[in-house]
């Protein structure tokens, strides 16, 4: 079994191992060639982590959906999670804002911290956590309310605006940040559900940033959109990354390559490989990663 | 005797089935795939040919036979009898029929009548004999025809399919026609009523005392058929019922669908639905024997004047009856709100109650309103509880502690007891029924429309 210095035994690792990948010459093929070796390859840590996940396991009843995954989520960068369908990308993403709590029968173990604060701590207010870690879903899901109310919803429940004027300004700022303002400024009272798919998704992004999150999670945010709308959202992600930590699940490897700085490859619940996006796509270290990005399966 | 005929027909059809099947198998040369249809279809084909035409003839005779015989018997009556007015002839005919059935001792009857009865019996015997012969001939003939036409290329499967379709069509037509028939009869009787009492009196009159109208000289004279007290009574009781049922039903639906643990929900929901299975007469008991005395005693203790049969008692119990109705309809619409809406709200850091108040209820509101309208129409039409608990006095009042009466209660009281069938008093029941029908139908149409509209919103 191939156990080079760059692999971690994910069941027992301490989170700080990993060295020496630059030594590896480019285009020499993967270093881990055993398909059954499911230990994470690559550096799971980043210098400036926003969130730190260690030994995370998720179970849906008997189904072990995430198997002892450890990874850091870097601040002010986009981390993309890729992998074949059903490998647990969405499940892992939902751990980060505890949306898994809303799924009956779902159980999470391990440790996840945000700014060194354990988010699975008994004393942590999950409602506050979700305001700090916002989420955008695969299918745009604006509320059946007006565009204005869609954005005002979060600030309203968290009391972020003192009066009508402030609320109006906040809504405007969010729509501007989401690149939607010019398109909707004259029809804020119209239903959010009446927008096009791409506009709806940007509305959802505006809604997510309306509560000043620190992290934004996006689960395949473009899979229901056409290429032009997708390009708009990708641009937006690039702008947003200056202020937020972003985690995106995507099916499109081109998208991961375009928007993210770090990439993590999941396979059947295991985190197989993680590293700089460029390295993952040009010089994958695990055979499974290589097979996936070269389109041999997935 | 005739039941035997039906049995014989069944037997013949069964035989036809086996014969047809066997013949098709024989033609298949051992390979069923040589046949167009499976052998059992050839069996059904033969059985249908054997049974159906004969059955149709049988039904035709059952429908028209006695009319024909009666006609022949009347034609044979002495001329002085035949020239009697139609009602008298009807009476004669029913006497003859009674004689035939032996309900009247024949010795005491007049000889002409006895002769007519004998004639009737004779004709009946002939008719039945002919029926037997014809039906059997048709069955055997039909079966034989089918048997002969069986061939590997015969599309028995398609033919059977067509017969089944016709059969289903006839069934649904019967259902629709009966409904239409009922509605029309209510409509025509109501029109008769409105000939006696002007419709404006009925709809806008403030006084309801149909008992006084029993005597012919008082018909319509006093405006005693003013139904407004009934309408207000009905509305009052239904309103009380809704005040009870809507909050409890809605809140329990919210709890069950948004808060309750899965295991609790699977227990509580069926229990709530058991409420819907309790016969209304039991609720009526409960209203009369438990709730009404309770309200009266409490009222006395507070120094209020409470009638022993109060709108409040009936309304409260009716409300309890409607709770499962409201809760299961609300539950449906709440569950129809996509999970994505909840996720969107939770992901913004909303609590459950904020999500319910700001997202789920507004989204589900049209559906809930539709459900409430349906429940309301149910309350308006409810009879048993109000008959037992609401009383009969047609007071025009908004005071829930007084006795009031409702449309349904009055229909019941108008039609129970002895009175001429075409007195305005009885006909008034039809007019009330018509009002009830129109109101509930309208409510239902609006409600279903609203609910459907709402469903489309998410599809
Ligand atoms: N709500 C759920 N209930 C039960 N099992 C689930 C649920 N969501 C996902 N799973 C299971 O967890 C595994 C990972 O699913 P998911 O995270 O949706 O994968 P991905 O997003 O990578 O396609 C799958 O085997 C899936 O069947
Ligand atoms: Mg997914």
């Amino acid at each position: 079994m191939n156990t080079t210095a760059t692999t971690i035994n994910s069941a027992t690792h301490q989170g700080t191992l990993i060295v020496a990948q630059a030594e590896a010459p480019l285009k020499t093929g993967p270093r881990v060639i055993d398909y059954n070796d499911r230990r994470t390859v690559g550096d799971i840590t980043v210098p400036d982590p926003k969130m730190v996940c260690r030994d995370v396991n998720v179970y849906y009843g008997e189904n072990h959906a995430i198997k002892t995954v450890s990874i850091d989520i870097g601040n002010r960068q986009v981390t993309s999670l890729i992998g074949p369908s059903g490998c647990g990308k969405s499940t892992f993403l939902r751990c980060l804002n505890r949306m898994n709590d809303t799924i009956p029968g779902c159980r999470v173990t391990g440790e996840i911290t945000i700014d060194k604060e354990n988010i699975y701590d008994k004393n942590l207010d999950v409602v506050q956590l979700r305001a700090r870690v916002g989420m955008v879903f695969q299918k745009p899901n604006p509320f059946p309310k007006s565009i204005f109310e869609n954005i005002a919803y979060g600030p309203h429940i968290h009391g972020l605006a003192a009066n009508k004027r402030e609320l109006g300004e906040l809504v405007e700022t969010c729509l501007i940040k989401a690149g939607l303002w010019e398109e909707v400024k004259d029809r804020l009272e119209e239903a959010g559900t009446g927008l096009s798919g791409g506009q709806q998704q940007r509305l959802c992004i505006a809604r997510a940033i309306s509560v000043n999150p620190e992290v934004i999670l996006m689960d395949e945010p473009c899979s229901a959109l056409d290429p032009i709308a997708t390009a708009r959202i990708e641009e937006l992600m690039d702008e947003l990354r200056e202020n937020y930590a972003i985690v995106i699940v995507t099916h499109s490897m081109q998208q991961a390559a375009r928007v993210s700085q770090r990439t993590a490859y999941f396979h059947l619940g295991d985190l197989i490989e993680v590293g700089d996006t460029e390295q993952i796509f040009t010089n994958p270290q695990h055979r499974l990663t290589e097979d996936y990005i070269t389109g041999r399966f997935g | 005797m005739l039941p035997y005929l039906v049995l014989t027909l069944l037997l013949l059809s069964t035989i036809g089935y086996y014969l047809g099947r066997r013949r098709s198998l024989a033609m298949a040369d051992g390979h069923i795939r040589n046949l167009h249809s499976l052998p059992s279809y050839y069996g059904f084909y033969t059985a249908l040919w054997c049974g159906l035409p004969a059955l149709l003839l049988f039904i035709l005779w059952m429908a028209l036979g006695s009319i024909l015989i009666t006609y022949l018997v009347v034609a044979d009556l002495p001329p002085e009898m035949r020239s009697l007015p139609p009602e008298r002839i009807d009476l004669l005919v029913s006497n003859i029929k009674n004689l035939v059935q032996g309900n009247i001792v024949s010795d005491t009857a007049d000889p002409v009548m006895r002769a007519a009865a004998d004639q009737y019996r004779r004709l009946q015997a002939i008719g039945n004999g002919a029926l037997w012969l014809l039906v059997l001939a048709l069955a055997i003939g039909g079966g034989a025809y089918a048997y002969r036409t069986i061939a590997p290329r015969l599309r028995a499967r398609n033919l059977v399919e067509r017969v089944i379709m016709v059969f289903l069509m006839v069934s649904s037509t019967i259902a629709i026609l009966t409904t239409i028939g009922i509605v029309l009869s209510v409509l025509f009787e109501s029109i008769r009523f409105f000939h006696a009492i002007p419709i404006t009196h009925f709809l806008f009159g403030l006084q309801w005392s149909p008992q006084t109208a029993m005597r012919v000289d008082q018909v319509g004279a006093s405006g005693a058929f003013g139904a407004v007290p009934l309408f207000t009574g009905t509305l009052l009781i239904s309103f009380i019922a809704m005040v009870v049922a809507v909050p409890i039903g809605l809140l329990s639906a919210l709890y069950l669908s948004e808060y309750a643990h899965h295991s609790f929900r699977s227990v509580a929901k069926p229990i709530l639905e058991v409420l819907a299975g309790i016969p209304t007469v039991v609720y009526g008991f409960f209203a009369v024997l438990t709730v009404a005395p309770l309200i009266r005693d409490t009222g006395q203790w507070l120094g209020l004047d409470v009638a022993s049969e109060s709108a409040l008692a009936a309304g409260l119990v009716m409300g309890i009856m409607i709770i499962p109705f409201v809760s299961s309809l609300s539950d449906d619409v709440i569950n129809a709100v996509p999970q994505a809406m909840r996720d969107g709200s939770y992901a913004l850091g909303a609590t459950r109650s904020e999500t319910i108040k700001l997202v789920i209820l507004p989204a589900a509101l049209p559906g809930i309103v539709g459900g409430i309208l349906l429940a309301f129409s149910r309350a308006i039409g409810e009879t048993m509880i109000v008959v037992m608990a609401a009383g009969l006095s047609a007071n025009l009042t908004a005071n829930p502690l007084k006795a009031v009466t409702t449309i349904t209660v009055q229909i019941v009281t108008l039609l129970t007891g002895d009175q001429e069938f075409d007195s305005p008093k009885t006909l008034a029941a039809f007019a009330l029924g018509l009002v009830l029908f129109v109101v509930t139908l309208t409510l239902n149409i609006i409600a279903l429309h609203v609910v459907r509209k709402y469903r489309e919103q998410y599809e």
Side-chain angles (χ1 to χ4, degrees), chain A residues 97 99 102 127 130-131 133-135 137 141-145 153-154 156-158 207-208 210-211, chain B residues 262 339-352 354-355 357-359 362-363 457-458:
Chain A
N97 66 345
M99 280 299 277
T102 62
V127 164
R130 294 199 187 125
V133 184
M135 188 164 200
F137 297 84
N141 60 347
F143 300 128
K145 299 171 180 287
Y153 182 83
H156 172 68
I157 57 178
H158 293 291
R207 188 176 72 182
S210 70
V211 290
Chain B
H262 186 72
Q339 182 63 30
M341 296 296 123
R342 296 179 179 84
D343 288 346
S345 174
Y346 292 143
L348 283 169
T351 62
R352 267 177 220 248
E354 285 162 351
T355 305
K357 196 173 68 189
L358 298 172
V359 176
Q457 193 182 327
Y458 291 118

Short mmCIF file of all heavy atoms in Angstrom, two decimals, chain A residues 97 99 102 127 130-131 133-135 137 141-145 153-154 156-158 207-208 210-211, chain B residues 262 339-352 354-355 357-359 362-363 457-458:
data_model
loop_
_atom_site.label_atom_id
_atom_site.label_comp_id
_atom_site.label_asym_id
_atom_site.label_seq_id
_atom_site.Cartn_x
_atom_site.Cartn_y
_atom_site.Cartn_z
N ASN A 97 -23.31 24.77 8.49
CA ASN A 97 -24.24 25.69 9.16
C ASN A 97 -25.33 24.92 9.90
O ASN A 97 -26.39 25.44 10.19
CB ASN A 97 -24.86 26.68 8.16
CG ASN A 97 -25.76 26.00 7.14
OD1 ASN A 97 -25.71 24.79 6.99
ND2 ASN A 97 -26.57 26.78 6.45
N MET A 99 -27.42 22.82 8.99
CA MET A 99 -28.71 22.59 8.35
C MET A 99 -29.09 21.12 8.45
O MET A 99 -30.25 20.76 8.27
CB MET A 99 -28.69 23.03 6.89
CG MET A 99 -28.87 24.51 6.67
SD MET A 99 -30.43 25.16 7.29
CE MET A 99 -31.51 24.76 5.92
N THR A 102 -32.00 19.92 10.61
CA THR A 102 -33.41 19.94 10.23
C THR A 102 -33.82 18.63 9.55
O THR A 102 -34.99 18.45 9.24
CB THR A 102 -33.71 21.09 9.25
OG1 THR A 102 -32.94 20.89 8.06
CG2 THR A 102 -33.34 22.44 9.85
N VAL A 127 -29.30 29.44 15.68
CA VAL A 127 -29.91 30.50 14.90
C VAL A 127 -28.87 31.58 14.57
O VAL A 127 -28.79 32.08 13.44
CB VAL A 127 -31.11 31.06 15.69
CG1 VAL A 127 -31.55 32.38 15.13
CG2 VAL A 127 -32.26 30.07 15.67
N ARG A 130 -26.39 30.28 11.93
CA ARG A 130 -26.86 30.31 10.55
C ARG A 130 -26.85 31.72 9.98
O ARG A 130 -26.81 31.90 8.77
CB ARG A 130 -28.24 29.68 10.45
CG ARG A 130 -28.19 28.21 10.77
CD ARG A 130 -29.39 27.47 10.26
NE ARG A 130 -29.36 26.10 10.73
CZ ARG A 130 -30.34 25.53 11.40
NH1 ARG A 130 -31.44 26.21 11.67
NH2 ARG A 130 -30.24 24.28 11.79
N ALA A 131 -26.93 32.70 10.87
CA ALA A 131 -26.77 34.06 10.38
C ALA A 131 -25.31 34.32 10.00
O ALA A 131 -25.03 35.09 9.08
CB ALA A 131 -27.24 35.06 11.43
N VAL A 133 -23.20 31.89 8.99
CA VAL A 133 -22.85 31.02 7.86
C VAL A 133 -24.07 30.93 6.95
O VAL A 133 -24.98 30.14 7.18
CB VAL A 133 -22.44 29.62 8.36
CG1 VAL A 133 -22.00 28.76 7.17
CG2 VAL A 133 -21.34 29.72 9.38
N GLY A 134 -24.09 31.75 5.95
CA GLY A 134 -25.26 31.80 5.07
C GLY A 134 -25.22 30.69 4.04
O GLY A 134 -24.19 30.03 3.83
N MET A 135 -26.37 30.47 3.37
CA MET A 135 -26.41 29.36 2.44
C MET A 135 -27.25 29.71 1.21
O MET A 135 -28.29 30.36 1.32
CB MET A 135 -27.01 28.14 3.12
CG MET A 135 -26.92 26.88 2.29
SD MET A 135 -27.21 25.45 3.32
CE MET A 135 -26.47 24.18 2.32
N PHE A 137 -28.96 27.78 -2.15
CA PHE A 137 -29.31 26.40 -2.50
C PHE A 137 -29.22 26.15 -3.99
O PHE A 137 -29.11 27.07 -4.80
CB PHE A 137 -30.72 26.09 -2.01
CG PHE A 137 -30.84 26.17 -0.51
CD1 PHE A 137 -31.04 27.38 0.13
CD2 PHE A 137 -30.70 25.04 0.27
CE1 PHE A 137 -31.13 27.47 1.49
CE2 PHE A 137 -30.78 25.10 1.64
CZ PHE A 137 -31.00 26.33 2.26
N ASN A 141 -34.59 29.55 -4.35
CA ASN A 141 -35.81 29.41 -3.54
C ASN A 141 -36.24 30.73 -2.92
O ASN A 141 -36.32 30.83 -1.70
CB ASN A 141 -35.63 28.34 -2.47
CG ASN A 141 -34.49 28.66 -1.52
OD1 ASN A 141 -33.69 29.56 -1.79
ND2 ASN A 141 -34.42 27.98 -0.41
N PRO A 142 -36.50 31.74 -3.74
CA PRO A 142 -37.01 32.98 -3.14
C PRO A 142 -38.34 32.71 -2.46
O PRO A 142 -39.08 31.81 -2.87
CB PRO A 142 -37.20 33.90 -4.36
CG PRO A 142 -37.34 32.99 -5.51
CD PRO A 142 -36.52 31.79 -5.21
N PHE A 143 -38.62 33.47 -1.40
CA PHE A 143 -39.92 33.33 -0.75
C PHE A 143 -40.98 33.91 -1.67
O PHE A 143 -40.70 34.81 -2.46
CB PHE A 143 -39.93 34.12 0.57
CG PHE A 143 -38.89 33.67 1.54
CD1 PHE A 143 -38.03 34.58 2.12
CD2 PHE A 143 -38.78 32.34 1.89
CE1 PHE A 143 -37.07 34.18 3.03
CE2 PHE A 143 -37.82 31.92 2.80
CZ PHE A 143 -36.96 32.84 3.36
N PRO A 144 -42.20 33.40 -1.56
CA PRO A 144 -43.28 33.98 -2.39
C PRO A 144 -43.69 35.36 -1.85
O PRO A 144 -44.82 35.56 -1.45
CB PRO A 144 -44.40 32.95 -2.28
CG PRO A 144 -44.10 32.16 -1.07
CD PRO A 144 -42.64 32.25 -0.80
N LYS A 145 -42.73 36.26 -1.82
CA LYS A 145 -42.97 37.62 -1.36
C LYS A 145 -42.34 38.56 -2.38
O LYS A 145 -41.74 38.11 -3.35
CB LYS A 145 -42.27 37.85 -0.01
CG LYS A 145 -42.70 36.97 1.13
CD LYS A 145 -41.75 37.18 2.30
CE LYS A 145 -42.10 36.33 3.48
NZ LYS A 145 -43.30 36.79 4.18
N TYR A 153 -36.16 40.22 4.77
CA TYR A 153 -36.55 39.17 5.71
C TYR A 153 -35.50 38.94 6.81
O TYR A 153 -35.80 39.01 8.00
CB TYR A 153 -36.78 37.87 4.93
CG TYR A 153 -37.24 36.70 5.76
CD1 TYR A 153 -38.57 36.56 6.08
CD2 TYR A 153 -36.34 35.74 6.21
CE1 TYR A 153 -39.01 35.49 6.84
CE2 TYR A 153 -36.76 34.68 6.97
CZ TYR A 153 -38.10 34.55 7.29
OH TYR A 153 -38.52 33.50 8.05
N GLY A 154 -34.26 38.69 6.38
CA GLY A 154 -33.21 38.40 7.36
C GLY A 154 -32.95 39.57 8.30
O GLY A 154 -33.00 39.41 9.53
N HIS A 156 -34.86 41.85 9.10
CA HIS A 156 -36.04 42.03 9.95
C HIS A 156 -35.99 41.09 11.16
O HIS A 156 -36.17 41.52 12.29
CB HIS A 156 -37.30 41.79 9.12
CG HIS A 156 -38.55 41.76 9.92
ND1 HIS A 156 -39.06 42.88 10.53
CD2 HIS A 156 -39.40 40.74 10.24
CE1 HIS A 156 -40.17 42.56 11.17
NE2 HIS A 156 -40.39 41.27 11.02
N ILE A 157 -35.73 39.80 10.91
CA ILE A 157 -35.78 38.88 12.06
C ILE A 157 -34.57 39.06 12.97
O ILE A 157 -34.64 38.72 14.15
CB ILE A 157 -35.89 37.39 11.61
CG1 ILE A 157 -34.75 37.00 10.69
CG2 ILE A 157 -37.21 37.10 10.97
CD1 ILE A 157 -34.80 35.55 10.28
N HIS A 158 -33.47 39.61 12.45
CA HIS A 158 -32.31 39.81 13.32
C HIS A 158 -32.20 41.24 13.82
O HIS A 158 -31.25 41.58 14.52
CB HIS A 158 -31.02 39.43 12.58
CG HIS A 158 -30.94 37.97 12.28
ND1 HIS A 158 -30.78 37.02 13.27
CD2 HIS A 158 -31.02 37.27 11.12
CE1 HIS A 158 -30.76 35.81 12.73
NE2 HIS A 158 -30.91 35.94 11.42
N ARG A 207 -30.04 37.80 -0.57
CA ARG A 207 -30.73 37.48 0.68
C ARG A 207 -29.75 36.91 1.69
O ARG A 207 -29.80 37.22 2.87
CB ARG A 207 -31.84 36.47 0.37
CG ARG A 207 -32.76 36.17 1.50
CD ARG A 207 -33.87 35.25 1.04
NE ARG A 207 -33.38 33.90 0.81
CZ ARG A 207 -34.14 32.91 0.36
NH1 ARG A 207 -35.41 33.13 0.08
NH2 ARG A 207 -33.64 31.70 0.17
N ALA A 208 -28.85 36.05 1.18
CA ALA A 208 -27.89 35.42 2.10
C ALA A 208 -26.94 36.46 2.68
O ALA A 208 -26.59 36.39 3.86
CB ALA A 208 -27.11 34.33 1.38
N SER A 210 -27.57 39.51 3.22
CA SER A 210 -28.28 40.58 3.92
C SER A 210 -28.08 40.52 5.43
O SER A 210 -28.31 41.51 6.11
CB SER A 210 -29.78 40.50 3.61
OG SER A 210 -30.33 39.37 4.23
N VAL A 211 -27.68 39.37 5.95
CA VAL A 211 -27.52 39.28 7.41
C VAL A 211 -26.05 39.31 7.80
O VAL A 211 -25.68 38.84 8.89
CB VAL A 211 -28.21 38.02 7.97
CG1 VAL A 211 -29.71 38.16 7.87
CG2 VAL A 211 -27.75 36.77 7.25
N HIS B 262 -41.34 12.98 14.69
CA HIS B 262 -41.97 12.06 13.75
C HIS B 262 -42.83 11.01 14.45
O HIS B 262 -43.95 10.73 14.05
CB HIS B 262 -40.88 11.38 12.93
CG HIS B 262 -41.42 10.53 11.83
ND1 HIS B 262 -42.00 11.07 10.70
CD2 HIS B 262 -41.50 9.19 11.71
CE1 HIS B 262 -42.40 10.10 9.93
NE2 HIS B 262 -42.11 8.94 10.51
N GLN B 339 -40.24 22.32 1.00
CA GLN B 339 -39.20 22.31 2.02
C GLN B 339 -38.18 23.41 1.74
O GLN B 339 -37.59 23.98 2.65
CB GLN B 339 -38.53 20.92 2.04
CG GLN B 339 -37.46 20.74 3.09
CD GLN B 339 -38.00 20.88 4.50
OE1 GLN B 339 -39.16 20.57 4.76
NE2 GLN B 339 -37.18 21.36 5.41
N ALA B 340 -38.00 23.73 0.46
CA ALA B 340 -37.00 24.74 0.10
C ALA B 340 -37.31 26.08 0.76
O ALA B 340 -36.39 26.84 1.08
CB ALA B 340 -36.96 24.91 -1.42
N MET B 341 -38.60 26.39 0.97
CA MET B 341 -38.96 27.65 1.63
C MET B 341 -38.47 27.62 3.08
O MET B 341 -37.91 28.59 3.60
CB MET B 341 -40.48 27.84 1.64
CG MET B 341 -41.10 28.00 0.29
SD MET B 341 -40.53 29.48 -0.50
CE MET B 341 -39.87 28.81 -1.98
N ARG B 342 -38.70 26.49 3.74
CA ARG B 342 -38.25 26.37 5.13
C ARG B 342 -36.73 26.47 5.19
O ARG B 342 -36.18 27.20 6.00
CB ARG B 342 -38.70 25.04 5.72
CG ARG B 342 -40.19 24.88 5.80
CD ARG B 342 -40.53 23.51 6.38
NE ARG B 342 -41.96 23.36 6.49
CZ ARG B 342 -42.75 22.99 5.50
NH1 ARG B 342 -42.21 22.68 4.33
NH2 ARG B 342 -44.05 22.91 5.63
N ASP B 343 -36.08 25.72 4.29
CA ASP B 343 -34.62 25.73 4.29
C ASP B 343 -34.10 27.15 4.11
O ASP B 343 -33.20 27.58 4.82
CB ASP B 343 -34.09 24.84 3.16
CG ASP B 343 -34.29 23.37 3.45
OD1 ASP B 343 -34.57 23.05 4.63
OD2 ASP B 343 -34.16 22.54 2.53
N GLY B 344 -34.72 27.86 3.16
CA GLY B 344 -34.28 29.23 2.91
C GLY B 344 -34.38 30.07 4.16
O GLY B 344 -33.48 30.86 4.48
N SER B 345 -35.45 29.89 4.87
CA SER B 345 -35.66 30.69 6.08
C SER B 345 -34.71 30.26 7.20
O SER B 345 -34.07 31.10 7.84
CB SER B 345 -37.11 30.56 6.52
OG SER B 345 -37.30 31.19 7.75
N TYR B 346 -34.60 28.95 7.42
CA TYR B 346 -33.70 28.48 8.48
C TYR B 346 -32.27 28.90 8.18
O TYR B 346 -31.52 29.25 9.08
CB TYR B 346 -33.76 26.96 8.61
CG TYR B 346 -35.09 26.45 9.13
CD1 TYR B 346 -35.63 25.27 8.64
CD2 TYR B 346 -35.77 27.15 10.11
CE1 TYR B 346 -36.85 24.81 9.11
CE2 TYR B 346 -37.00 26.69 10.58
CZ TYR B 346 -37.53 25.52 10.08
OH TYR B 346 -38.73 25.06 10.54
N ALA B 347 -31.89 28.85 6.91
CA ALA B 347 -30.51 29.17 6.56
C ALA B 347 -30.20 30.64 6.80
O ALA B 347 -29.04 31.03 6.83
CB ALA B 347 -30.25 28.82 5.10
N LEU B 348 -31.24 31.45 6.96
CA LEU B 348 -31.01 32.85 7.28
C LEU B 348 -30.98 33.07 8.79
O LEU B 348 -30.87 34.19 9.27
CB LEU B 348 -32.11 33.73 6.68
CG LEU B 348 -31.97 33.98 5.18
CD1 LEU B 348 -33.23 34.60 4.64
CD2 LEU B 348 -30.78 34.88 4.92
N GLY B 349 -31.13 31.99 9.52
CA GLY B 349 -31.11 32.12 10.97
C GLY B 349 -32.45 32.44 11.57
O GLY B 349 -32.53 33.06 12.62
N ALA B 350 -33.52 32.02 10.91
CA ALA B 350 -34.85 32.22 11.49
C ALA B 350 -35.19 31.05 12.40
O ALA B 350 -34.76 29.93 12.15
CB ALA B 350 -35.89 32.34 10.38
N THR B 351 -35.95 31.33 13.44
CA THR B 351 -36.41 30.23 14.28
C THR B 351 -37.62 29.59 13.63
O THR B 351 -38.13 30.07 12.62
CB THR B 351 -36.83 30.73 15.67
OG1 THR B 351 -37.91 31.64 15.49
CG2 THR B 351 -35.69 31.45 16.36
N ARG B 352 -38.06 28.50 14.24
CA ARG B 352 -39.22 27.83 13.68
C ARG B 352 -40.44 28.72 13.65
O ARG B 352 -41.16 28.79 12.66
CB ARG B 352 -39.56 26.60 14.51
CG ARG B 352 -38.93 25.36 13.99
CD ARG B 352 -39.29 24.24 14.93
NE ARG B 352 -38.12 23.40 15.11
CZ ARG B 352 -38.05 22.16 14.64
NH1 ARG B 352 -39.07 21.64 14.03
NH2 ARG B 352 -36.97 21.46 14.81
N GLU B 354 -40.66 31.93 13.72
CA GLU B 354 -40.53 33.01 12.74
C GLU B 354 -40.78 32.48 11.34
O GLU B 354 -41.45 33.11 10.52
CB GLU B 354 -39.12 33.62 12.81
CG GLU B 354 -38.93 34.51 14.01
CD GLU B 354 -37.45 34.76 14.32
OE1 GLU B 354 -36.57 34.11 13.71
OE2 GLU B 354 -37.19 35.59 15.19
N THR B 355 -40.23 31.29 11.08
CA THR B 355 -40.44 30.70 9.77
C THR B 355 -41.92 30.44 9.51
O THR B 355 -42.44 30.73 8.43
CB THR B 355 -39.66 29.38 9.67
OG1 THR B 355 -38.30 29.65 9.97
CG2 THR B 355 -39.77 28.78 8.29
N LYS B 357 -44.50 31.94 10.95
CA LYS B 357 -45.28 33.18 10.90
C LYS B 357 -45.01 33.94 9.60
O LYS B 357 -45.92 34.45 8.97
CB LYS B 357 -44.89 34.04 12.10
CG LYS B 357 -45.85 35.16 12.40
CD LYS B 357 -45.46 35.82 13.72
CE LYS B 357 -44.14 36.53 13.53
NZ LYS B 357 -43.52 37.06 14.72
N LEU B 358 -43.73 33.98 9.20
CA LEU B 358 -43.38 34.87 8.09
C LEU B 358 -43.31 34.17 6.74
O LEU B 358 -43.39 34.83 5.70
CB LEU B 358 -42.02 35.53 8.37
CG LEU B 358 -42.01 36.41 9.62
CD1 LEU B 358 -40.60 36.85 9.95
CD2 LEU B 358 -42.92 37.61 9.43
N VAL B 359 -43.12 32.87 6.73
CA VAL B 359 -42.97 32.19 5.44
C VAL B 359 -44.09 31.19 5.20
O VAL B 359 -44.81 31.25 4.21
CB VAL B 359 -41.61 31.49 5.34
CG1 VAL B 359 -41.51 30.71 4.04
CG2 VAL B 359 -40.49 32.51 5.42
N PRO B 362 -47.99 32.69 5.43
CA PRO B 362 -48.36 33.49 4.26
C PRO B 362 -48.43 32.66 2.99
O PRO B 362 -49.32 32.85 2.16
CB PRO B 362 -47.22 34.52 4.17
CG PRO B 362 -46.66 34.59 5.53
CD PRO B 362 -46.82 33.24 6.14
N ALA B 363 -47.49 31.72 2.85
CA ALA B 363 -47.50 30.92 1.63
C ALA B 363 -48.70 29.99 1.60
O ALA B 363 -49.27 29.72 0.55
CB ALA B 363 -46.21 30.12 1.51
N GLN B 457 -49.43 27.10 -7.70
CA GLN B 457 -48.37 28.05 -7.42
C GLN B 457 -47.02 27.36 -7.26
O GLN B 457 -45.98 27.93 -7.54
CB GLN B 457 -48.76 28.76 -6.12
CG GLN B 457 -47.95 29.98 -5.82
CD GLN B 457 -48.41 30.56 -4.48
OE1 GLN B 457 -49.57 30.48 -4.13
NE2 GLN B 457 -47.48 31.10 -3.74
N TYR B 458 -47.04 26.13 -6.78
CA TYR B 458 -45.76 25.46 -6.52
C TYR B 458 -45.49 24.33 -7.48
O TYR B 458 -44.58 23.55 -7.27
CB TYR B 458 -45.74 24.93 -5.09
CG TYR B 458 -45.67 26.04 -4.08
CD1 TYR B 458 -46.67 26.22 -3.16
CD2 TYR B 458 -44.59 26.91 -4.09
CE1 TYR B 458 -46.61 27.24 -2.26
CE2 TYR B 458 -44.52 27.93 -3.19
CZ TYR B 458 -45.53 28.10 -2.28
OH TYR B 458 -45.47 29.11 -1.40
#
